[in-house]
Amino acid sequence: MQRCLTATIALHRAFRQKTFTIHCKHTAAMSTLLINQPKYAWLKELGLAEDNNGVYHGTWGGQGEVITSYCPANNEPIARVRQATLSEYEETVQKSKEAWKVWADIPAPKRGEIVRQIGDALRKKIDVLGRLVSLEMGKIYVEGVGEVQEYIDVCDYAVGLSRMIGGPILPSERPGHALLEQWNPVGLVGIITAFNFPVAVYGWNNALALICGNVCLWKGAPSTPLTSVAVTKIVAEVLEHNSLPGAICSMTCGGADVGTAMAKDERVNLLSFTGSTQVGKSVGMMVQERFGRQLLELGGNNAIIATTMYGPLHTKQAVEQYLAAVEKAKEQGGTVVCGGKVIDRPGNYVEPTIITGLAHDAPIVHTETFVPILYVLKFKEEEEAFGWNNEVKQGLSSSIFTKDMGRVFRWLGPKGSDCGIVNVNIPTSGAEIGGAFGGEKHTGGGRESGSDSWKQYMRRSTCTINYSKELPLAQGIKFE
């Protein structure tokens, strides 16, 4: 009896010690997260916690892989997010389709009012959300705030547009007939965004898709999941306040498996993808195989890059790509005249780099490395410079600096820049929301934000109405 009691006490002590050890390890792991440090307490103002659900379709969930988000400025963990499983993706699509039946019946100006409220909700959180973009993505704070402001601006634009969408009434050649265009929503818009603009690109698509009568399913970049969660929480609160289905703006954090499912899913009526040209080709083929609609915003490799204030590169892999690009440039005949090194400090910081001496058709010049390297090329004739700009496979944005007005209009004309965004005397970075954003060639050809980009989120029907008592045919055809 005494021996049994002693063994029981020993076993109990061992169990308590093991439990205490596990608890200590868990506590230690939690304490290393930035969100638990007083300096980053503001993260909780966005509804974030140590562990966050990465699925939303009216209710929150997440049964997939747990990923940790890291701060590129110091490579320390911020917080964790549990991604979606494919079964959760399936459930989210079903909920989104049901939500569309409600949303499509709401008049466009009323949908615009909901978007207006989303913009106002973002205004209230612009500071902390901008700080999160800076913390998780790595861009400087003012650019993080600028991203949120861009979403807000597009909301304002979409509110006005919600009272202006319409097709023309055309003159019919047949008496007693009316000919018109009717625009209707496509249904479910899938939105896959990249790490470099974790708020703004979703905002462009979301605000316009909503006022057009679509519902949205968002998959943000796996390396910026906290931003996706925080933005979705802001939008979800507006929908809940208006007694609307949360699945109108659903979200599934995930990796390539979820992205592939979206690309192949015929229930996704339009897939908007922002990312690399390489991945975009694969996505485009999957969507095309099912004759689906796609909006691609791919690589840029712009002709001008300028910055004096900048943050760290987003990942350690980006630092490796930077170093590899510098070495390739040297191998191909380039000379590093400024920078070229990793900065010796915590985080993914590298020196802004200027390289000269390369040929215009050097492979590295034609490669989008997505790092702060500027290749300086000397030219003799205007046509030569224009040609070098256009020979690059990407065609997003370009810029020329000149006081020659003839050169300005030649640059804008048919033999000038072949990019989707063509600037004069301003850098290639940044764009106003009133104009359509997008590029040509390997950039994908898609257009988002302003101008007539709303048409991408709708389907057009040409409608003929016969209100006469006759049945005339077009082109004057008569069957005798």
Side-chain angles (χ1 to χ4, degrees):
M1 181 66 179
Q2 180 64 33
R3 182 178 298 173
C4 290
L5 180 61
T6 302
T8 300
I9 293 172
L11 183 62
H12 180 66
R13 286 176 177 171
F15 177 76
R16 286 184 61 188
Q17 182 63 37
K18 183 177 181 181
T19 303
F20 177 74
T21 302
I22 293 174
H23 177 73
C24 285
K25 288 181 179 178
H26 182 66
T27 302
M30 288 177 59
S31 65
T32 62
L33 297 175
L34 295 184
I35 195 170
N36 291 317
Q37 298 179 16
K39 180 180 177 181
Y40 300 98
W42 53 267
L43 286 167
K44 296 178 181 179
E45 296 178 35
L46 292 166
L48 299 175
E50 295 94 344
D51 294 282
N52 301 273
N53 290 318
V55 178
Y56 179 75
H57 48 59
T59 57
W60 288 89
Q63 298 298 319
E65 179 186 0
V66 176
I67 59 172
T68 301
S69 176
Y70 290 88
C71 171
N74 51 31
N75 285 319
E76 294 184 17
I78 306 170
R80 295 179 288 265
V81 175
R82 187 176 290 277
Q83 299 186 124
T85 62
L86 289 178
S87 62
E88 287 178 307
Y89 165 79
E90 175 66 27
E91 181 183 9
T92 302
V93 172
Q94 292 177 11
K95 291 288 182 70
S96 297
K97 284 294 189 180
E98 288 299 314
W100 180 78
K101 296 176 183 178
V102 176
W103 187 243
D105 282 341
I106 297 174
K110 298 296 184 183
R111 297 195 294 258
E113 166 58 19
I114 301 302
V115 172
R116 184 194 67 78
Q117 293 180 33
I118 291 173
D120 284 349
L122 289 165
R123 282 184 175 92
K124 295 176 182 177
K125 299 286 187 180
I126 188 170
D127 176 67
V128 287
L129 190 53
R131 290 167 73 182
L132 173 59
V133 172
S134 178
L135 180 71
E136 187 176 41
M137 184 271 155
K139 62 180 59 177
I140 61 176
Y141 165 73
V142 292
E143 288 188 339
V145 171
E147 253 205 76
V148 184
Q149 185 63 55
E150 193 158 0
Y151 191 172
I152 294 168
D153 291 345
V154 175
C155 285
D156 289 346
Y157 176 85
V159 172
L161 186 61
S162 70
R163 293 183 178 271
M164 298 170 62
I165 289 177
I169 297 177
L170 306 167
S172 174
E173 66 184 62
R174 290 172 283 184
H177 284 60
L179 185 64
L180 56 91
E181 287 185 354
Q182 174 71 26
W183 292 83
N184 287 301
V186 296
L188 173 58
V189 175
I191 304 169
I192 300 177
T193 59
F195 73 88
N196 58 324
F197 283 93
V199 173
V201 174
Y202 174 67
W204 297 341
N205 286 273
N206 175 250
L208 294 190
L210 287 180
I211 61 101
C212 289
N214 303 293
V215 296
C216 299
L217 169 55
W218 182 21
K219 189 193 90 67
S223 58
T224 54
L226 297 175
T227 301
S228 299
V229 171
V231 170
T232 300
K233 284 181 177 290
I234 292 170
V235 175
E237 187 174 339
V238 172
L239 296 173
E240 181 180 345
H241 178 74
N242 287 274
S243 301
L244 289 167
I248 289 171
C249 296
S250 57
M251 177 195 69
T252 51
C253 291
D257 57 341
V258 175
T260 299
M262 293 174 70
K264 292 183 176 181
D265 197 335
E266 292 189 355
R267 297 167 298 178
V268 178
N269 304 101
L270 166 66
L271 183 66
S272 174
F273 173 85
T274 302
S276 69
T277 298
Q278 180 182 1
V279 177
K281 285 182 180 179
S282 177
V283 170
M285 290 179 64
M286 286 186 280
V287 177
Q288 182 59 40
E289 281 182 353
R290 59 178 176 88
F291 292 99
R293 288 174 174 243
Q294 55 187 290
L295 201 171
L296 303 178
E297 294 289 356
L298 308 178
N301 200 19
N302 299 354
I304 290 180
I305 301 173
T307 176
T308 55
M309 293 179 61
Y310 74 107
L313 299 183
H314 186 54
T315 61
K316 293 180 180 179
Q317 290 75 17
V319 176
E320 295 171 1
Q321 291 170 1
Y322 165 84
L323 291 172
V326 171
E327 290 306 310
K328 287 181 181 178
K330 292 178 181 178
E331 293 170 3
Q332 294 168 23
T335 300
V336 177
V337 297
C338 177
K341 302 183 183 66
V342 175
I343 298 175
D344 185 15
R345 56 165 293 179
N348 306 320
Y349 290 90
V350 300
E351 295 176 343
T353 301
I354 298 175
I355 297 178
T356 62
L358 287 165
H360 67 92
D361 56 354
I364 193 63
V365 173
H366 287 242
T367 302
E368 182 190 28
T369 52
F370 223 82
V371 293
I373 299 177
L374 177 66
Y375 305 112
V376 177
L377 311 177
K378 293 183 179 181
F379 65 92
K380 294 181 179 179
E381 303 294 336
E382 173 187 291
E383 293 79 7
E384 189 177 33
F386 288 9
W388 294 354
N389 176 79
N390 295 346
E391 72 183 5
V392 176
K393 289 184 177 181
Q394 299 88 351
L396 178 56
S397 185
S398 58
S399 185
I400 190 171
F401 286 80
T402 181
K403 293 182 180 180
D404 184 332
M405 292 307 298
R407 179 167 293 158
V408 167
F409 286 98
R410 289 191 293 273
W411 174 245
L412 302 178
K415 295 182 180 179
S417 173
D418 63 0
C419 293
I421 300 173
V422 183
N423 302 309
V424 176
N425 296 334
I426 61 170
T428 60
S429 59
E432 295 187 28
I433 61 100
F437 181 90
E440 300 295 328
K441 302 185 295 187
H442 285 211
T443 300
R447 292 297 186 275
E448 297 169 321
S449 191
S451 186
D452 65 347
S453 61
W454 60 269
K455 293 181 179 179
Q456 306 234 28
Y457 303 91
M458 305 193 83
R459 57 179 179 82
R460 173 169 49 185
S461 302
T462 301
C463 309
T464 305
I465 303 170
N466 181 359
Y467 56 89
S468 74
K469 294 182 180 180
E470 305 298 327
L471 193 61
L473 300 176
Q475 290 80 48
I477 296 176
K478 295 182 180 180
F479 296 107
E480 302 294 344

